Amino acid sequence: MNAYDELMAFQRQTEALAQVAGRLGWDQETVMPEGAAGQRAEEIGALESVLHARRTDPRIAGWLAAAVAPDAVGEAQLRQIRRSFVRTSKVPARLAEEIARVTSLAQGIWASARAREDVAGFLPTLAQVVALKREEGAALAEGGDPYDALVDDYEPGMTGAEIAAMFAAMRPRLVALRAKVLAAGAPKGVVGRFDSEAQMALSRELATVFGYDWDRGRIDLAVHPFSSGSGHDVRITTRVSEVDPFNCFYSTIHEVGHAAYEQGVEASYALTPIGQGASMGVHESQSRSYENQLGRSRAFTGWLFGRMREVFGDFGIPDAEGFYRAVNRVHAGYIRTEADEVHYNLHVMMRFDLERALIKGDLDVADLEAAWNDRFRADFGVAVDRPSNGMLQDVHWSCGLFGYFPTYTLGNVYAGCLVKALRAKVPGLDGQMARGDVGAATAWMRDRLQRHGARYLPREVVAQACGFEPSEAPLLDYLEAKFGEIYAL
Ligand code: ZN
């Protein structure tokens, strides 16, 4: 075997083991018996150490030096392997272990601080995590910007400055839209109790409508919905609230967006470095376009209204137009994960500015709560009432996930571009969606974007799919048009 084939064979086993690790995580969040938690931690730890040893195996350097890619796809494979190998070799083992140790403890400390509304109880731990991530960023950046190096983990090729410029263009328009929409008053929501079994049955139907392949997937319940796996085993989870069926339906559609991306990747890429989504941002572009631009469109909600009436009878909303408004209800709130389309990106932008300042050393952890609360009041028009509704609400920073937040908004931005391009190519889309048919939309996504997996860089694959360079403009135009019309602004 030549160096390329040896490297790819070695890598394939690593990818397979990584899938196993992911499946253990899925099991833990869905069906694992409670008493197994301690043993599971040890099982996952053992597998992680095997994976770490494989990812840092010294033979990789030799293979990479000698490997000649047979074609363009092979070059993309080598790019991915080199990227991961270079990254792991830049971070000293001592630092990597310390980050793993501190962040695993930090999550428990964060959870209990949040439950007790105790910012002071979390700050020393957060300070430790920030210091370690600054050190890691500096090691990765080798003289460059440490925050950019951290962003690169989740969104290869993107920089803090590019994101900051994009967000600066978005923020004033979103703040203005939020203020106008809230002043216009909230539409009516749904009332009544919605049977859990019936919600799950309709969830399965929605997953099928959006192209989820049940032969390579399954749906289960989880506290925080997620999707998991690549290739021939891609699972989704959802949650059920008897008073809020939209939570279940739109969580399902969101996760189907992620899962359809993984299921849509070219079959021959399975268990290779390019056999999965290109980045967190591109992944979120799929879940968000399925959930929001398609799933919350007037056309599709018209069909969903009819199905919900058939399944649940009367739920206090007389017609499809009222239903469309209920599904797209804008409401003030503190919590990012519960935010509507108008508010969501404002939550992300403030986290981006704050975490970038923390990593740059421009903001001290001791001043974070005041900075958070000032910014929240400026962008959302209300004061934070308690830390669990403020800087203690998200788990990310305790996990060391600095550079991750902006990918949520990048996903929305990419979704805005992709759906704009999609609508130009599929002119009858609304007529199809009004009949509950999103087949042409999902086929376009698969063909233009999903099938490539991580073969191209994130921005590159989005630009290719759209036929234009991605920018924030299509998303902002979409939001202003949609909510301007709903709220008669
Ligand atoms: Zn998502």
Side-chain angles (χ1 to χ4, degrees), residues 390-417:
M391 64 156 277
L392 289 182
Q393 68 180 266
D394 295 305
V395 69
H396 300 59
W397 288 336
S398 71
C399 303
L401 295 176
F402 288 85
Y404 189 108
F405 276 123
T407 68
Y408 291 123
T409 286
L410 270 179
N412 286 323
V413 164
Y414 289 156
C417 299

Side-chain angles (χ1 to χ4, degrees), residues 201-253:
L202 188 47
S203 255
R204 287 190 189 92
E205 187 179 337
L206 286 167
T208 304
V209 162
F210 276 89
Y212 187 54
D213 179 356
W214 292 101
D215 196 38
R216 296 183 287 152
R218 53 176 290 134
I219 187 167
D220 294 271
L221 289 170
V223 180
H224 302 288
F226 63 95
S227 69
S228 156
S230 296
H232 293 279
D233 191 344
V234 188
R235 306 178 186 194
I236 56 172
T237 59
T238 190
R239 60 181 160 201
V240 174
S241 152
E242 291 223 319
V243 295
D244 180 11
F246 297 148
N247 196 321
C248 176
F249 300 150
Y250 285 98
S251 294
T252 300
I253 298 173

Side-chain angles (χ1 to χ4, degrees), residues 254 258 284 287:
H254 181 98
H258 286 299
E284 201 66 8
S287 56

